[in-house]
Amino acid sequence: MPQLTIIIFSIFPQNLAGMKKMALHWKILIGMVLGVLFGLLMVNFSWGKEFVQDWIKPFGTIFINALKLIAVPLILGSLITGVSDLKDISKLSKMGGKTVVTYLITTIIAVSIGLLLVNVLVPGKSITESTRTELVSNYAQSTEKYKEEAKNQKEQGPLKALVDLVPDNIIGASGENKNMLQVIFFAIFFGIGLILLPEERAKPVKDFFSSFNEVILKMIDLIMLAAPYGVFALLAALIVESPSKDLFVALLWYSFTVVLGLALMISIYIGLVFAFTGKKPGAFLQGISPAQLLAFSTSSSAATLPVTMERVSEHLGVEEEVSSFVLPIGATINMDGTSLYQAVAAVFIAQAFGMELSLGAQLGIVATATLASIGSAAVPGAGMVMLVIVLAQAGIPEAGLALIFAVDRPLDMCRTVVNVTGDATVSMIVAKSEGKLGEPHVRDWDDSYESKKKSPGIL
């Protein structure tokens, strides 16, 4: 078995210098395609699933762990540096207001698109009574888990989110890697402290975090060398662990509705970028595509954050003063893709149970999905907990959550792409409004890797 693993990974060219002319997003895309093909091959063998889980999937887990490892240091280094460079607290409040308002507007647009499509296409009518019964039976245990988590959240009180914003221990908050808002709060608070200090007293600390941030960016360069291998392992594991294909057929129309909505949302992002910044669609998509592909592979905005920040700053021309502030906040509170999915899922479940939702109930879904997205963790599966809250608000049976479990993971991958694209869009809009959007200053990771090889004692 170990020998077969070595053969599998030898599919990829070993000489990275020989691949220098190939863009990063193409390398990642090749890894994704090979991962899917390999997974489809392995499901035909009785030992295939076990082999992939034991010898392939761990490489994907290591890749995700490396991205998560760098997320908190990146937020601390970049956000403290960015805030302290503002030199004026009024600039911080102005930028923060623009960021939050823009994120809320895009979230409302996303939810509205989802509601429009699900009411026009009516995918819930394609669910038969027998299919509904089978799905509810198969996923009853998982449904109860998410219902319990949502119940705990609702019992914590209306100001619990505000209480959770301020950590009692920054080391503990950083170690959890779940509540990024606490880390962001500390970094902004720390940066404000540096602004208020005399320049000569603050300079050593600012220099330290500036250098610290540069080290983290170099570490991202090294992690991205493994990106094609990581996504290969993640996609291969996803294929062999997928549920019965019969359940996918029953939910195909629902999945189409969600994906269509997500595609429309990305087209709106492209239009907003062009309207507000003048950036052409091709240049925007080329700049952000590696982050989109990683978002698809990992289903986590938080894990993709290091790559998103690198692409936005160096390939889309957003100055780090803006990207280091807007993107970490976006990875936490901007869940446009997840909010759109929740709107479609809630109405779909209601349709499957033969319920008619009034205009007031659907407007309630807009408000609840928008507000719930702010406190959602930027990790796989968090959308399910949010969905339980949305269903409860609209009076839709929570047992219907089981209807969408079979296709939740692939749709989670798709909606994470939208979340990341939305973060990049808002960062460009805010940067343009602040006069902080310039030409890309690419520090290509292949070039960085080659320069390291030429420097003795580094690699």
Side-chain angles (χ1 to χ4, degrees):
M1 290 297 184
Q3 290 80 1
L4 184 54
T5 306
I6 296 173
I7 294 174
I8 296 305
F9 281 97
S10 67
I11 293 175
F12 297 99
Q14 297 300 309
N15 188 351
L16 289 175
M19 297 176 66
K20 185 175 180 179
K21 294 183 179 179
M22 184 180 294
L24 176 58
H25 62 276
W26 287 116
K27 298 173 186 177
I28 295 175
L29 191 59
I30 290 173
M32 293 172 63
V33 172
L34 291 177
V36 171
L37 294 177
F38 180 68
L40 292 173
L41 176 64
M42 288 294 101
V43 295
N44 296 306
F45 301 98
S46 59
W47 47 268
K49 180 177 181 179
E50 182 180 356
F51 169 77
V52 171
Q53 289 177 328
D54 290 345
W55 296 100
I56 302 298
K57 185 178 180 179
F59 292 100
T61 303
I62 291 170
F63 178 64
I64 292 181
N65 287 345
L67 289 172
K68 290 181 178 179
L69 170 70
I70 218 73
V72 170
L74 179 65
I75 290 175
L76 286 173
S78 62
L79 200 49
I80 289 174
T81 302
V83 171
S84 62
D85 284 343
L86 292 175
K87 298 183 175 62
D88 187 351
I89 295 180
S90 63
K91 290 184 179 180
L92 177 63
S93 61
K94 181 181 177 183
M95 189 189 303
K98 290 180 181 178
T99 300
V100 173
V101 169
T102 308
Y103 278 139
L104 287 176
I105 291 173
T106 59
T107 300
I108 293 173
I109 292 173
V111 178
S112 301
I113 289 175
L115 288 177
L116 176 64
L117 288 177
V118 77
N119 280 285
V120 171
L121 300 178
V122 198
K125 289 187 176 180
S126 62
I127 294 291
T128 63
E129 179 65 30
S130 60
T131 301
R132 181 196 311 159
T133 303
E134 178 185 1
L135 290 170
V136 171
S137 174
N138 289 345
Y139 296 99
Q141 185 175 356
S142 297
T143 302
E144 289 300 320
K145 179 186 71 172
Y146 289 112
K147 286 169 62 177
E148 187 64 29
E149 290 183 16
K151 180 181 177 182
N152 291 337
Q153 287 190 16
K154 288 190 287 186
E155 290 177 350
Q156 290 173 345
L159 297 181
K160 179 63 176 176
L162 187 61
V163 173
D164 288 341
L165 181 63
V166 183
D168 58 358
N169 184 337
I170 186 57
I171 303 300
S174 302
E176 285 295 325
N177 214 18
K178 292 181 180 179
N179 194 343
M180 287 292 187
L181 278 176
Q182 293 185 344
V183 179
I184 292 171
F185 175 86
F186 175 82
I188 293 175
F189 198 20
F190 195 99
I192 291 174
L194 286 176
I195 293 175
L196 297 176
L197 280 178
E199 181 66 26
E200 64 274 8
R201 300 290 298 275
K203 189 177 185 305
V205 180
K206 291 173 63 175
D207 289 343
F208 166 79
F209 278 105
S210 178
S211 299
F212 177 80
N213 192 43
E214 288 298 318
V215 173
I216 298 300
L217 292 176
K218 289 294 183 182
M219 293 175 69
I220 294 174
D221 288 338
L222 296 177
I223 292 174
M224 291 310 296
L225 295 175
Y229 306 92
V231 298
F232 170 86
L234 290 169
L235 268 294
L238 175 66
I239 294 298
V240 301
E241 293 174 351
S242 295
S244 169
K245 300 301 181 292
D246 292 338
L247 301 181
F248 281 102
V249 173
L251 298 174
L252 181 62
W253 196 235
Y254 158 73
S255 301
F256 170 76
T257 305
V258 174
V259 172
L260 177 61
L262 297 176
L264 287 175
M265 198 62 208
I266 289 183
S267 67
I268 288 176
Y269 290 143
I270 294 174
L272 289 174
V273 168
F274 182 74
F276 284 95
T277 72
K279 178 76 71 173
K280 294 182 179 179
F284 173 67
L285 291 176
Q286 183 177 0
I288 197 61
S289 56
Q292 291 176 320
L293 293 172
L294 278 181
F296 182 82
S297 302
T298 63
S299 300
S300 172
S301 300
T304 312
L305 179 59
V307 181
T308 307
M309 294 183 70
E310 185 268 340
R311 300 300 299 186
V312 168
S313 296
E314 300 183 10
H315 296 260
L316 295 179
V318 177
E319 293 188 14
E320 290 189 14
E321 181 179 306
V322 176
S323 63
S324 62
F325 178 81
V326 176
L327 292 176
I329 294 177
T332 308
I333 71 171
N334 180 47
M335 299 290 169
D336 291 351
T338 303
S339 299
L340 185 150
Y341 141 83
Q342 288 170 348
V344 174
V347 179
F348 167 77
I349 292 171
Q351 292 171 351
F353 279 93
M355 297 175 59
E356 293 291 337
L357 293 180
S358 65
L359 177 61
Q362 297 203 31
L363 290 176
I365 291 176
V366 174
T368 307
T370 301
L371 295 175
S373 68
I374 296 176
S376 174
V379 295
M384 276 295 182
V385 179
M386 295 165 58
L387 182 56
V388 173
I389 298 174
V390 173
L391 292 177
Q393 182 277 332
I396 302 171
E398 295 171 351
L401 194 69
L403 299 177
I404 60 173
F405 264 106
V407 291
D408 180 65
R409 182 56 196 274
L411 292 182
D412 191 7
M413 299 163 72
C414 294
R415 62 187 186 246
T416 305
V417 174
V418 173
N419 293 342
V420 169
T421 308
D423 295 343
T425 299
V426 173
S427 69
M428 292 186 69
I429 293 174
V430 173
K432 183 66 174 181
S433 69
E434 294 287 323
K436 301 290 183 180
L437 183 65
E439 293 299 319
H441 46 283
V442 180
R443 177 178 55 85
D444 190 83
W445 64 275
D446 281 326
D447 293 338
S448 179
Y449 177 74
E450 288 301 308
S451 66
K452 291 183 182 75
K453 290 207 300 184
K454 294 175 182 178
S455 302
I458 295 180
L459 284 179

